[in-house]
Amino acid sequence: MKITHVHSKLVLIVFTCLSLIPFQGFSGNIIDTTDYSYWRQLAKTSEMFRAMKANAITVANQGDGETRDVLGANALAYILDSANKSKYIHAIKSKFETRIRTMKIGNGAASSSVPSHELFYAVLALDVIRYDLNSVVLKEYESWLEAKTMALVIGKWDPHGWAMRMLYYKYMGDEVKFQEAKKEFDIGIAEHYMPNDGVSPAGNGYCVQRWNSIERAVKNTTPDIMEYMGYHEYYTNPGIVGLKEFMYGYAVAPFGRILLYGDSRDTEAQKPWDIEDGAIILSPHIVSAARYSPEAYKYAMWVLREGAGVSEGVLKGHLSNYLIMAGTAKNNNPLEFNTGDAVMAPSRLFENYAALITNEESTEALYMSMLNLKGNTEYHTNYETNALAMAGYGEILLRNAGYDGPNNDVTIDGVTATFNFIHSNSESANTLMIGGKRHASKVGDGIIEGFVGQDMEYFRGSSSDAIAGTHFRDVVFVQPSNGVNGYYIVMDHVTTDTTKDNVNVVWHPNAATLNTLKDDTKYFSEIKIEKGKKGPRLYTENEATLTTFLGTPPASVKIKKTVNQARSGYGYAADYLYANYNTVNKQANILTVLFPGDNTHKPGDLKRIAVGEYTGSEIFQENIVDVALISGGTTLGTNKTESFQGENIVYRKLAGKLVSYFVKGSLFKSGVGNQIGFKSDDSVALYMNTVSSNGISGKIVSSGTHVTFYGSGISFVKLDDKEITVDHVEPNSVRVKIPEGTFKFEILKRL
């Protein structure tokens, strides 16, 4: 990001000129003419702004075209090329008379929400030329603008209707009605993000398209117009800031395509950019994200460069685009963008969403996310509490239902997915049900704990309202490390309300065919287009795959069929896995390994393992052996030289030597004699890397409990780099009180 500063004497010139010109008649109610000299100077000193000016003049000289282009380009050209303003005024007038006057507003999305962007460009253009029109013509144009604006639907798709009313009232100088409309606009726009973290309840695809599409400019660009006019509550709104970071960093895979949640049509139709002719950026949001946060900007640059394939784009010469990037003369903080600033988003835990991502920047990075909304749902939210989506090696690997439009059933190759199944049945998602019953609610309890930033990352999602019982879904990401490939472990802990109910776990690989490698145990999906078929949409020649391994033995498994990705011509009939598990004392603990691969990354060898009440898998890769186990957490378990007690146990050995471990529980010890591990009075979530010259380190989530750590010669403990009080120390153990919270820790030796 580059901020271009203009010499201070420019401001003096602006105000000197204004002192010679009567204010009345030269300043619109939205666009302030005191910014014109500043904007013109930018077009002389900045390559980016100069390119926008040139584009505006070029588009204006092309004559009639799209309403947005005619009005947006001519309004900007009027300001920056004032010597030729008469022809720009003529073009704006012509578009008012041929389109704004005649346009029909209906009560559907296509007839209200979509054309509203034309009115957005119209009100800005009219505000610029209003004093160049005679009063009769101006009044007539305003009457057309008012009639179309007031016909826009409110009550659904709220932001577009209220945004246009708000801008129209501001244009007319009606402050009372403006404030009334602003209140409704703010309420409507707040439905599109979670107020605490920005995650969109409408689904990733719907979110990135609506907030980046030129056809939704009245909704997605009005916050910028409000900031320009001095309402400084949008660029600092935590929900909107989080939304921008979510859209560009986490709603999409590392190669820039959406993870399918909610009403996401498909990965081709819905993208976090709006670009024409390869490098002309129509909508400004992907390049103006720095107005919200440095992180949003860096993630947006990654998506622009790696997803859209644009390294040196030109932002379309529209007035609203220029206004956002330039800002006001008073603030003097114009934005420029540079894809060299690109950063791939790292793993992150939101309150309503979690994402675990390979810790090296690459479009082929592995990515798994979970959606678990705590509230603030809307029409486009599906029944997907604790649902997962996955990408890796440049392809979508695991997907949820998607969307083909309101009330649309989809049939391909004799297979039908009804709108009811797509939109309202949790079986269409990668989630868990009880007794075969669809979720009763769209909300859960959120992402309640976890940690990121090391070789094993973890989070837990909680659900109690959506199902007839409780569900904790834990995910551990074993990062690519120690020279071997990464993968994910999903641990489901379920308590049902009734003894007769079984538990159903559903998996939807992004592939047409689900191959059975071993009945009720191991399944294999090739992310490819089957002969004679159209989908799924592929992005690489990597020959990506997904192995689904049922570490906990199911009572039965069904392979069912549905339809995926219909909207953009990549639709296909698809197999999906429906695994049933019995309960014991109304409880089930279920471990599944999801192992991605491609033509250069081989999945590990997977073997089912059962140790007492623990079930799970051994995962073999070269001289690395991982053990992943699950239980109710109430009994002691042993496996060779390891003993443990917990809900989740994952440990890694390299040539027989312990490298690291993760436990959600109260005990893990490895080895004989001088053991490595811990024992806690209460359950903790803990990751530990045992390979260190001076000690051992990791992350811990504690409710506030005493923990005894074991290791040769250890004597003190640091939490977040600060040494804490030791309760008791012995030659090979140390006992401390870990307060409530999530901490980085080190177990050290005195040198």
Side-chain angles (χ1 to χ4, degrees):
M1 174 182 63
K2 181 180 179 183
I3 301 209
T4 308
H5 291 283
V6 180
H7 199 279
S8 59
K9 70 179 181 180
L10 173 61
V11 177
L12 177 61
I13 294 171
V14 170
F15 284 104
T16 301
C17 293
L18 287 175
S19 66
L20 303 176
I21 301 172
F23 185 79
Q24 178 60 37
F26 289 90
S27 180
N29 288 334
I30 299 175
I31 310 299
D32 191 343
T33 57
T34 62
D35 293 321
Y36 286 6
S37 294
Y38 162 64
W39 290 354
R40 290 167 187 153
Q41 183 68 15
L42 284 176
K44 294 178 181 179
T45 59
S46 161
E47 182 179 347
M48 187 196 78
F49 288 99
R50 183 163 54 249
M52 291 178 70
K53 174 183 176 180
N55 180 264
I57 293 172
T58 297
V59 173
N61 288 336
Q62 289 172 351
D64 197 21
E66 291 276 0
T67 302
R68 66 177 184 243
D69 290 338
V70 172
L71 297 177
N74 279 280
L76 181 58
Y78 170 97
I79 295 169
L80 301 182
D81 183 31
S82 56
N84 297 299
K85 71 175 187 177
S86 60
K87 69 177 181 179
Y88 304 132
I89 294 169
H90 175 77
I92 294 170
K93 290 174 64 179
S94 178
K95 183 56 74 172
F96 260 84
E97 291 163 5
T98 59
R99 173 57 180 166
I100 303 303
R101 178 179 64 86
T102 62
M103 70 188 303
K104 305 294 184 183
I105 303 296
N107 59 7
S111 57
S112 181
S113 186
V114 173
S116 67
H117 78 281
E118 298 178 78
L119 299 176
F120 170 80
Y121 286 95
V123 72
L124 296 183
L126 191 59
D127 195 58
V128 167
I129 69 166
R130 65 196 300 170
Y131 298 114
D132 292 279
L133 305 179
N134 70 56
S135 60
V136 174
V137 171
L138 178 62
K139 186 174 182 179
E140 187 173 37
Y141 287 4
E142 290 172 346
S143 69
W144 299 340
L145 186 60
E146 180 182 26
K148 310 307 178 183
T149 295
M150 300 309 159
L152 293 173
V153 171
I154 54 175
K156 54 183 176 179
W157 319 299
D158 273 347
H160 85 283
W162 285 114
M164 268 311 303
R165 284 165 170 78
M166 182 171 62
L167 293 175
Y168 174 76
Y169 293 138
K170 175 59 71 172
Y171 165 88
M172 295 299 296
D174 190 332
E175 186 64 21
V176 172
K177 289 186 177 180
F178 166 80
Q179 289 294 342
E180 292 172 352
K182 180 181 182 301
K183 179 180 178 180
E184 296 297 335
F185 172 74
D186 289 344
I187 292 171
I189 207 169
E191 294 176 358
H192 289 268
Y193 57 82
M194 305 304 286
N196 46 356
D197 61 15
V199 172
S200 171
N204 297 21
Y206 188 91
C207 164
V208 300
Q209 186 182 49
R210 293 299 182 257
W211 282 86
N212 290 279
S213 171
I214 199 75
E215 287 190 345
R216 297 301 192 277
V218 70
K219 176 167 74 175
N220 59 40
T221 307
T222 292
D224 298 281
I225 303 299
M226 295 294 287
E227 284 281 343
Y228 169 76
M229 292 191 297
Y231 299 91
H232 301 305
E233 58 203 75
Y234 298 92
Y235 289 161
T236 57
N237 181 312
I240 305 179
V241 171
L243 176 66
K244 294 285 183 171
E245 295 172 1
F246 170 73
M247 280 195 299
Y248 300 120
Y250 301 97
V252 296
F255 54 96
R257 300 292 176 148
I258 62 168
L259 281 297
L260 287 104
Y261 291 99
D263 285 348
S264 297
R265 284 180 172 160
D266 60 64
T267 59
E268 182 64 19
Q270 294 180 311
K271 304 180 288 288
W273 62 79
D274 202 341
I275 294 171
E276 67 180 9
D277 298 332
I280 299 177
I281 302 166
L282 296 179
S283 176
H285 302 295
I286 198 166
V287 296
S288 66
R291 291 290 186 210
Y292 292 88
S293 80
E295 289 74 22
Y297 166 71
K298 289 182 285 189
Y299 304 158
M301 290 300 98
W302 178 271
V303 169
L304 183 63
R305 188 183 72 193
E306 306 296 340
V310 176
S311 293
E312 295 183 359
V314 175
L315 185 56
K316 191 84 171 186
H318 290 163
L319 171 59
S320 53
N321 292 351
Y322 203 95
L323 176 156
I324 292 170
M325 301 304 288
T328 64
K330 178 181 178 181
N331 291 334
N332 189 22
N333 64 339
L335 291 181
E336 296 192 9
F337 65 94
N338 184 342
T339 57
D341 297 329
V343 173
M344 191 184 84
S347 295
R348 178 170 170 179
L349 306 182
F350 296 83
E351 288 190 31
N352 300 275
Y353 190 91
L356 302 182
I357 308 170
T358 304
N359 57 18
E360 293 183 2
E361 292 191 346
S362 169
T363 56
E364 298 187 0
L366 304 182
Y367 178 111
M368 177 176 278
S369 60
M370 176 190 283
L371 182 71
N372 188 316
L373 300 174
K374 295 174 67 174
N376 202 23
T377 65
E378 50 106 74
Y379 171 82
H380 295 285
T381 311
N382 287 0
Y383 290 83
E384 295 174 336
T385 300
N386 276 346
L388 300 171
M390 185 178 179
Y393 305 125
E395 303 289 357
I396 300 297
L397 302 178
L398 199 64
R399 53 165 293 139
N400 297 299
Y403 179 68
D404 194 54
N407 302 311
N408 286 356
D409 299 344
V410 184
T411 300
I412 297 176
D413 294 336
V415 179
T416 297
T418 66
F419 178 73
N420 181 272
F421 179 80
I422 293 169
H423 187 72
S424 303
N425 192 336
S426 48
E427 189 174 327
S428 67
N430 299 295
T431 188
L432 179 147
M433 303 184 299
I434 293 176
K437 298 175 183 177
R438 64 180 64 185
H439 288 183
S441 170
K442 296 179 178 181
V443 301
D445 308 313
I447 308 301
I448 60 173
E449 70 174 31
F451 44 65
V452 298
Q454 55 285 320
D455 288 346
M456 290 187 196
E457 299 181 325
Y458 153 76
F459 64 77
R460 164 170 281 193
S462 173
S463 173
S464 55
D465 293 329
I467 55 175
T470 59
H471 176 210
F472 295 120
R473 169 158 275 186
D474 301 338
V475 176
V476 173
F477 180 24
V478 182
Q479 287 264 5
S481 57
N482 304 114
V484 296
N485 300 325
Y487 62 94
Y488 297 89
I489 307 165
V490 181
M491 290 100 146
D492 292 305
H493 300 277
V494 188
T495 302
T496 64
D497 287 346
T498 61
T499 56
K500 65 179 181 179
D501 282 336
N502 65 352
V503 175
N504 328 108
V505 182
V506 189
W507 301 110
H508 290 268
N510 189 34
T513 302
L514 186 61
N515 302 286
T516 303
L517 299 183
K518 184 176 181 180
D519 286 341
D520 298 341
T521 304
K522 190 175 183 180
Y523 299 85
F524 183 72
S525 305
E526 297 178 83
I527 314 303
K528 67 177 185 178
I529 301 174
E530 304 287 347
K531 185 177 180 179
K533 307 304 179 184
K534 296 180 179 179
R537 171 69 162 95
L538 302 182
Y539 297 96
T540 73
E541 296 181 358
N542 291 344
E543 300 175 1
T545 65
L546 178 63
T547 299
T548 304
F549 186 83
L550 309 183
T552 300
S556 64
V557 172
K558 296 179 182 178
I559 295 180
K560 299 186 177 185
K561 280 191 175 290
T562 187
V563 174
N564 286 330
Q565 269 179 302
R567 177 54 67 111
S568 293
Y570 295 96
Y572 65 102
D575 293 341
Y576 67 95
L577 192 69
Y578 189 96
N580 301 296
Y581 297 85
N582 294 329
T583 61
V584 176
N585 297 325
K586 300 195 292 185
Q587 292 186 337
N589 300 287
I590 303 160
L591 185 146
T592 307
V593 178
L594 298 171
F595 209 122
D598 72 350
N599 50 20
T600 60
H601 298 85
K602 181 183 176 181
D605 295 323
L606 299 146
K607 176 184 175 183
R608 187 178 280 165
I609 183 173
V611 180
E613 294 189 13
Y614 292 80
T615 63
S617 176
E618 285 184 300
I619 303 99
F620 300 88
Q621 297 186 79
E622 300 176 0
N623 58 350
I624 290 285
V625 180
D626 296 338
V627 175
L629 298 167
I630 192 171
S631 81
T634 59
T635 61
L636 181 69
T638 59
N639 184 40
K640 299 178 183 178
T641 60
E642 279 68 47
S643 57
F644 39 79
Q645 183 171 340
E647 298 172 68
N648 308 323
I649 310 293
V650 182
Y651 60 91
R652 166 165 287 188
K653 287 192 168 184
L654 170 60
K657 181 179 179 180
L658 185 70
V659 173
S660 57
Y661 64 87
F662 164 79
V663 174
K664 172 65 177 174
S666 59
L667 172 69
F668 181 85
K669 292 183 181 180
S670 177
V672 294
N674 291 333
Q675 293 181 315
I676 298 174
F678 82 98
K679 182 177 181 181
S680 59
D681 291 355
D682 301 295
S683 179
V684 297
L686 180 148
Y687 163 77
M688 189 174 288
N689 181 346
T690 65
V691 181
S692 173
S693 59
N694 187 41
I696 49 186
S697 62
K699 290 280 185 75
I700 187 169
V701 180
S702 167
S703 60
T705 188
H706 283 89
V707 181
T708 300
F709 293 102
Y710 301 94
S712 178
I714 62 174
S715 58
F716 69 103
V717 177
K718 285 185 176 181
L719 287 187
D720 291 344
D721 299 320
K722 295 180 180 180
E723 187 172 343
I724 62 173
T725 302
V726 172
D727 289 346
H728 183 72
V729 62
E730 294 186 4
N732 297 307
S733 69
V734 58
R735 180 176 171 84
V736 295
K737 173 68 178 292
I738 304 293
E740 182 177 1
T742 301
F743 305 97
K744 178 182 72 173
F745 71 88
E746 297 172 276
I747 314 300
L748 301 166
K749 305 174 184 179
R750 298 288 183 191
L751 298 179

PDB file of all heavy atoms in Angstrom, residues 538-557:
ATOM      1  N   LEU A 538     -12.268 -27.342 -12.104  1.00  0.00           N
ATOM      2  CA  LEU A 538     -10.888 -27.590 -11.703  1.00  0.00           C
ATOM      3  C   LEU A 538     -10.033 -26.361 -11.998  1.00  0.00           C
ATOM      4  O   LEU A 538     -10.304 -25.607 -12.931  1.00  0.00           O
ATOM      5  CB  LEU A 538     -10.326 -28.802 -12.444  1.00  0.00           C
ATOM      6  CG  LEU A 538     -11.074 -30.125 -12.267  1.00  0.00           C
ATOM      7  CD1 LEU A 538     -10.363 -31.235 -13.026  1.00  0.00           C
ATOM      8  CD2 LEU A 538     -11.216 -30.492 -10.801  1.00  0.00           C
ATOM      9  N   TYR A 539      -8.967 -26.198 -11.211  1.00  0.00           N
ATOM     10  CA  TYR A 539      -8.097 -25.037 -11.353  1.00  0.00           C
ATOM     11  C   TYR A 539      -6.642 -25.406 -11.632  1.00  0.00           C
ATOM     12  O   TYR A 539      -5.836 -24.517 -11.899  1.00  0.00           O
ATOM     13  CB  TYR A 539      -8.187 -24.171 -10.093  1.00  0.00           C
ATOM     14  CG  TYR A 539      -9.575 -23.614  -9.901  1.00  0.00           C
ATOM     15  CD1 TYR A 539     -10.495 -24.248  -9.073  1.00  0.00           C
ATOM     16  CD2 TYR A 539      -9.988 -22.486 -10.598  1.00  0.00           C
ATOM     17  CE1 TYR A 539     -11.781 -23.747  -8.929  1.00  0.00           C
ATOM     18  CE2 TYR A 539     -11.268 -21.989 -10.456  1.00  0.00           C
ATOM     19  CZ  TYR A 539     -12.163 -22.622  -9.623  1.00  0.00           C
ATOM     20  OH  TYR A 539     -13.438 -22.137  -9.490  1.00  0.00           O
ATOM     21  N   THR A 540      -6.307 -26.662 -11.531  1.00  0.00           N
ATOM     22  CA  THR A 540      -4.922 -27.083 -11.739  1.00  0.00           C
ATOM     23  C   THR A 540      -4.896 -28.398 -12.512  1.00  0.00           C
ATOM     24  O   THR A 540      -5.937 -28.989 -12.806  1.00  0.00           O
ATOM     25  CB  THR A 540      -4.196 -27.311 -10.391  1.00  0.00           C
ATOM     26  OG1 THR A 540      -4.687 -28.517  -9.797  1.00  0.00           O
ATOM     27  CG2 THR A 540      -4.385 -26.157  -9.444  1.00  0.00           C
ATOM     28  N   GLU A 541      -3.698 -28.864 -12.780  1.00  0.00           N
ATOM     29  CA  GLU A 541      -3.487 -30.212 -13.309  1.00  0.00           C
ATOM     30  C   GLU A 541      -2.785 -31.072 -12.260  1.00  0.00           C
ATOM     31  O   GLU A 541      -2.046 -32.004 -12.580  1.00  0.00           O
ATOM     32  CB  GLU A 541      -2.664 -30.149 -14.596  1.00  0.00           C
ATOM     33  CG  GLU A 541      -3.387 -29.410 -15.727  1.00  0.00           C
ATOM     34  CD  GLU A 541      -2.583 -29.357 -17.007  1.00  0.00           C
ATOM     35  OE1 GLU A 541      -1.429 -29.861 -17.017  1.00  0.00           O
ATOM     36  OE2 GLU A 541      -3.098 -28.817 -18.007  1.00  0.00           O
ATOM     37  N   ASN A 542      -3.044 -30.768 -11.001  1.00  0.00           N
ATOM     38  CA  ASN A 542      -2.349 -31.433  -9.900  1.00  0.00           C
ATOM     39  C   ASN A 542      -2.884 -32.817  -9.567  1.00  0.00           C
ATOM     40  O   ASN A 542      -2.282 -33.545  -8.775  1.00  0.00           O
ATOM     41  CB  ASN A 542      -2.407 -30.572  -8.635  1.00  0.00           C
ATOM     42  CG  ASN A 542      -1.577 -29.320  -8.756  1.00  0.00           C
ATOM     43  OD1 ASN A 542      -0.727 -29.207  -9.626  1.00  0.00           O
ATOM     44  ND2 ASN A 542      -1.830 -28.357  -7.887  1.00  0.00           N
ATOM     45  N   GLU A 543      -4.061 -33.163 -10.126  1.00  0.00           N
ATOM     46  CA  GLU A 543      -4.686 -34.457  -9.839  1.00  0.00           C
ATOM     47  C   GLU A 543      -4.897 -34.633  -8.332  1.00  0.00           C
ATOM     48  O   GLU A 543      -4.502 -35.630  -7.724  1.00  0.00           O
ATOM     49  CB  GLU A 543      -3.836 -35.602 -10.400  1.00  0.00           C
ATOM     50  CG  GLU A 543      -3.658 -35.516 -11.912  1.00  0.00           C
ATOM     51  CD  GLU A 543      -2.708 -36.573 -12.463  1.00  0.00           C
ATOM     52  OE1 GLU A 543      -2.196 -37.396 -11.664  1.00  0.00           O
ATOM     53  OE2 GLU A 543      -2.487 -36.585 -13.680  1.00  0.00           O
ATOM     54  N   ALA A 544      -5.539 -33.652  -7.740  1.00  0.00           N
ATOM     55  CA  ALA A 544      -5.767 -33.657  -6.293  1.00  0.00           C
ATOM     56  C   ALA A 544      -6.699 -34.793  -5.893  1.00  0.00           C
ATOM     57  O   ALA A 544      -7.585 -35.210  -6.648  1.00  0.00           O
ATOM     58  CB  ALA A 544      -6.341 -32.321  -5.850  1.00  0.00           C
ATOM     59  N   THR A 545      -6.488 -35.288  -4.679  1.00  0.00           N
ATOM     60  CA  THR A 545      -7.296 -36.378  -4.142  1.00  0.00           C
ATOM     61  C   THR A 545      -7.636 -36.098  -2.684  1.00  0.00           C
ATOM     62  O   THR A 545      -7.027 -35.244  -2.034  1.00  0.00           O
ATOM     63  CB  THR A 545      -6.548 -37.723  -4.211  1.00  0.00           C
ATOM     64  OG1 THR A 545      -5.392 -37.672  -3.356  1.00  0.00           O
ATOM     65  CG2 THR A 545      -6.115 -38.041  -5.637  1.00  0.00           C
ATOM     66  N   LEU A 546      -8.600 -36.851  -2.169  1.00  0.00           N
ATOM     67  CA  LEU A 546      -8.938 -36.795  -0.746  1.00  0.00           C
ATOM     68  C   LEU A 546      -9.232 -38.207  -0.263  1.00  0.00           C
ATOM     69  O   LEU A 546     -10.098 -38.893  -0.810  1.00  0.00           O
ATOM     70  CB  LEU A 546     -10.152 -35.900  -0.497  1.00  0.00           C
ATOM     71  CG  LEU A 546     -10.607 -35.809   0.959  1.00  0.00           C
ATOM     72  CD1 LEU A 546      -9.525 -35.177   1.829  1.00  0.00           C
ATOM     73  CD2 LEU A 546     -11.909 -35.015   1.078  1.00  0.00           C
ATOM     74  N   THR A 547      -8.494 -38.629   0.758  1.00  0.00           N
ATOM     75  CA  THR A 547      -8.750 -39.909   1.410  1.00  0.00           C
ATOM     76  C   THR A 547      -9.517 -39.649   2.697  1.00  0.00           C
ATOM     77  O   THR A 547      -9.093 -38.836   3.529  1.00  0.00           O
ATOM     78  CB  THR A 547      -7.436 -40.636   1.733  1.00  0.00           C
ATOM     79  OG1 THR A 547      -6.733 -40.889   0.508  1.00  0.00           O
ATOM     80  CG2 THR A 547      -7.704 -41.951   2.441  1.00  0.00           C
ATOM     81  N   THR A 548     -10.662 -40.310   2.843  1.00  0.00           N
ATOM     82  CA  THR A 548     -11.489 -40.199   4.043  1.00  0.00           C
ATOM     83  C   THR A 548     -11.394 -41.517   4.793  1.00  0.00           C
ATOM     84  O   THR A 548     -11.813 -42.566   4.282  1.00  0.00           O
ATOM     85  CB  THR A 548     -12.949 -39.900   3.677  1.00  0.00           C
ATOM     86  OG1 THR A 548     -13.006 -38.711   2.879  1.00  0.00           O
ATOM     87  CG2 THR A 548     -13.804 -39.713   4.930  1.00  0.00           C
ATOM     88  N   PHE A 549     -10.835 -41.469   5.987  1.00  0.00           N
ATOM     89  CA  PHE A 549     -10.571 -42.679   6.760  1.00  0.00           C
ATOM     90  C   PHE A 549     -11.382 -42.643   8.047  1.00  0.00           C
ATOM     91  O   PHE A 549     -11.244 -41.716   8.853  1.00  0.00           O
ATOM     92  CB  PHE A 549      -9.081 -42.783   7.086  1.00  0.00           C
ATOM     93  CG  PHE A 549      -8.689 -44.070   7.760  1.00  0.00           C
ATOM     94  CD1 PHE A 549      -8.449 -45.218   7.007  1.00  0.00           C
ATOM     95  CD2 PHE A 549      -8.554 -44.142   9.134  1.00  0.00           C
ATOM     96  CE1 PHE A 549      -8.086 -46.408   7.625  1.00  0.00           C
ATOM     97  CE2 PHE A 549      -8.196 -45.326   9.763  1.00  0.00           C
ATOM     98  CZ  PHE A 549      -7.957 -46.466   9.006  1.00  0.00           C
ATOM     99  N   LEU A 550     -12.231 -43.636   8.231  1.00  0.00           N
ATOM    100  CA  LEU A 550     -13.101 -43.703   9.405  1.00  0.00           C
ATOM    101  C   LEU A 550     -12.365 -44.449  10.504  1.00  0.00           C
ATOM    102  O   LEU A 550     -12.406 -45.679  10.600  1.00  0.00           O
ATOM    103  CB  LEU A 550     -14.413 -44.398   9.038  1.00  0.00           C
ATOM    104  CG  LEU A 550     -15.131 -43.854   7.788  1.00  0.00           C
ATOM    105  CD1 LEU A 550     -16.457 -44.580   7.572  1.00  0.00           C
ATOM    106  CD2 LEU A 550     -15.344 -42.353   7.883  1.00  0.00           C
ATOM    107  N   GLY A 551     -11.658 -43.696  11.351  1.00  0.00           N
ATOM    108  CA  GLY A 551     -10.851 -44.308  12.394  1.00  0.00           C
ATOM    109  C   GLY A 551     -11.685 -44.997  13.454  1.00  0.00           C
ATOM    110  O   GLY A 551     -11.269 -46.011  14.019  1.00  0.00           O
ATOM    111  N   THR A 552     -12.842 -44.453  13.756  1.00  0.00           N
ATOM    112  CA  THR A 552     -13.791 -45.085  14.667  1.00  0.00           C
ATOM    113  C   THR A 552     -14.742 -45.944  13.844  1.00  0.00           C
ATOM    114  O   THR A 552     -15.374 -45.436  12.902  1.00  0.00           O
ATOM    115  CB  THR A 552     -14.579 -44.033  15.456  1.00  0.00           C
ATOM    116  OG1 THR A 552     -13.656 -43.232  16.209  1.00  0.00           O
ATOM    117  CG2 THR A 552     -15.577 -44.690  16.390  1.00  0.00           C
ATOM    118  N   PRO A 553     -14.871 -47.230  14.139  1.00  0.00           N
ATOM    119  CA  PRO A 553     -15.717 -48.100  13.315  1.00  0.00           C
ATOM    120  C   PRO A 553     -17.177 -47.646  13.333  1.00  0.00           C
ATOM    121  O   PRO A 553     -17.776 -47.489  14.407  1.00  0.00           O
ATOM    122  CB  PRO A 553     -15.570 -49.468  13.978  1.00  0.00           C
ATOM    123  CG  PRO A 553     -14.287 -49.403  14.743  1.00  0.00           C
ATOM    124  CD  PRO A 553     -14.179 -47.981  15.202  1.00  0.00           C
ATOM    125  N   PRO A 554     -17.790 -47.423  12.167  1.00  0.00           N
ATOM    126  CA  PRO A 554     -19.208 -47.065  12.123  1.00  0.00           C
ATOM    127  C   PRO A 554     -20.088 -48.301  12.201  1.00  0.00           C
ATOM    128  O   PRO A 554     -19.633 -49.430  11.943  1.00  0.00           O
ATOM    129  CB  PRO A 554     -19.336 -46.399  10.750  1.00  0.00           C
ATOM    130  CG  PRO A 554     -18.306 -47.089   9.913  1.00  0.00           C
ATOM    131  CD  PRO A 554     -17.164 -47.419  10.834  1.00  0.00           C
ATOM    132  N   ALA A 555     -21.355 -48.108  12.558  1.00  0.00           N
ATOM    133  CA  ALA A 555     -22.320 -49.207  12.517  1.00  0.00           C
ATOM    134  C   ALA A 555     -22.671 -49.550  11.080  1.00  0.00           C
ATOM    135  O   ALA A 555     -22.892 -50.725  10.738  1.00  0.00           O
ATOM    136  CB  ALA A 555     -23.575 -48.829  13.300  1.00  0.00           C
ATOM    137  N   SER A 556     -22.718 -48.534  10.211  1.00  0.00           N
ATOM    138  CA  SER A 556     -23.007 -48.745   8.793  1.00  0.00           C
ATOM    139  C   SER A 556     -22.598 -47.508   8.020  1.00  0.00           C
ATOM    140  O   SER A 556     -22.442 -46.427   8.587  1.00  0.00           O
ATOM    141  CB  SER A 556     -24.496 -49.032   8.561  1.00  0.00           C
ATOM    142  OG  SER A 556     -25.278 -47.906   8.935  1.00  0.00           O
ATOM    143  N   VAL A 557     -22.425 -47.677   6.708  1.00  0.00           N
ATOM    144  CA  VAL A 557     -22.083 -46.577   5.820  1.00  0.00           C
ATOM    145  C   VAL A 557     -22.943 -46.670   4.567  1.00  0.00           C
ATOM    146  O   VAL A 557     -23.113 -47.752   4.007  1.00  0.00           O
ATOM    147  CB  VAL A 557     -20.586 -46.610   5.427  1.00  0.00           C
ATOM    148  CG1 VAL A 557     -20.290 -45.568   4.354  1.00  0.00           C
ATOM    149  CG2 VAL A 557     -19.704 -46.380   6.642  1.00  0.00           C
TER     150      VAL A 557
END
